[in-house]
Amino acid sequence: MSAPMVLSERRGDVLVLTLNRPDRLNAAPPEMFEALTGALRDLAGARAVLLAGAGRGFCSGADVAAVALREGDPGEATEAALTRSYNPALLAIADLGVPVVSAVRGPAAGIGCSLALAADFCVASDSAYFLHAFVNIGLVPDGGASWMLPRLIGRARAAEMMMLGERVPAARALEWGMIHRVVADDALDAEALALAGRLAAGPTVALGLMRRALHDGFSSDYAAAMIREAADQRLARGSADATEGGMAFLNKRAPAFRGA
């Protein structure tokens, strides 16, 4: 029996999802992202998600051969594969009500780059690099890259990354504001899990509202954002964690949030 393409493990309140084709640098056939979508839709009470890759790479992109075999098209990812398999996983991340951290070592290329940057926090090792090399084979970036990159790093740098198709090393990605942190390779797993654990221990309702507001804020105006914030504040105020936070503040102690 072949090993699962996505490993799922609970580490306390963190759901760790690991892309599991290390011999291929986690090149992703459609089935891998379908498995990822399924795992993201069944958090079973987890209060944060950590996305990782087994072995030396996070994800080297879509598995071209697997896509061609399944879809009958030699392109990196056909429209059908994107619509049915890859894009639903990225949309599932956007729709989550809990924070998401990605831990990147080695390549995060193509759809793997889009996946890594879909997280709220991307922690990269000093061996990591980010790449959209579609221009080199006459294709275009996918997985929401054309929406995501200019919002993260600005139009000029997004154009550089997409139209020149060159690697962006972790240090440059940090300088550009594309990722959260760069750490030593042997510290990556612990650092990323610690960050995910910190988020999982936070006020889940408020954090979920924050990530949705940040996402929606890209397409709303200033006044609409304030209206959204007022409505979200009402929802957050009704949570048990908000009550706990207020009591902790008054009693000058650390809050013990329970995610409700």
Side-chain angles (χ1 to χ4, degrees):
M1 183 179 296
S2 60
M5 290 190 185
V6 177
L7 302 177
S8 179
E9 178 188 7
R10 278 293 291 271
R11 302 286 297 273
D13 287 324
V14 178
L15 177 64
V16 182
L17 300 176
T18 304
L19 308 182
N20 188 39
R21 294 183 81 203
D23 57 318
R24 298 289 307 279
L25 292 174
N26 300 311
E31 292 81 2
M32 177 183 280
F33 270 58
E34 290 164 10
L36 185 60
T37 301
L40 290 166
R41 288 176 176 167
D42 184 20
L43 297 181
R47 294 169 59 189
V49 172
L50 174 59
L51 301 173
R56 299 180 297 110
F58 178 73
C59 176
S60 57
D63 186 328
V64 179
V67 171
L69 181 64
R70 174 167 159 172
E71 306 294 344
D73 188 308
E76 169 130 7
T78 65
E79 183 178 358
L82 283 167
T83 301
R84 292 201 298 256
S85 304
Y86 296 106
N87 292 348
L90 294 157
L91 290 172
I93 291 171
D95 289 340
L96 283 181
V98 301
V100 181
V101 176
S102 61
V104 178
R105 61 166 47 86
I111 200 72
C113 183
S114 294
L115 177 64
L117 299 181
D120 302 301
F121 297 87
C122 179
V123 182
S125 79
D126 47 21
S127 71
Y129 63 88
F130 301 83
L131 175 66
H132 278 294
F134 295 88
V135 67
N136 298 327
I137 53 174
L139 296 175
V140 299
D142 50 35
S146 62
W147 183 92
M148 186 185 304
L149 287 175
R151 287 166 170 80
L152 285 174
I153 58 178
R155 185 184 182 280
R157 285 172 172 161
E160 178 180 340
M161 193 169 178
M162 294 170 62
M163 300 176 76
L164 298 182
E166 298 173 348
R167 293 184 182 188
V168 177
R172 189 184 307 160
L174 181 64
E175 178 188 339
W176 283 1
M178 190 162 72
I179 61 175
H180 171 62
R181 186 183 305 169
V182 178
V183 301
D185 190 76
D186 60 2
L188 176 64
D189 298 333
E191 291 275 355
L193 183 60
L195 176 57
R198 175 180 174 180
L199 293 164
T204 303
V205 172
L207 288 170
L209 291 169
M210 286 179 205
R211 73 185 310 270
R212 300 275 178 84
L214 284 167
H215 188 277
D216 293 347
F218 285 132
S219 56
S220 66
D221 60 30
Y222 188 38
M226 287 189 282
I227 293 170
R228 165 70 179 265
E229 288 167 353
D232 285 352
Q233 198 71 288
R234 176 175 54 81
L235 293 173
R237 181 66 65 186
S239 69
D241 280 343
T243 300
E244 164 62 11
M247 293 300 295
F249 176 79
L250 292 174
N251 293 319
K252 298 181 180 180
R253 60 173 174 80
F257 296 123
R258 300 188 181 279

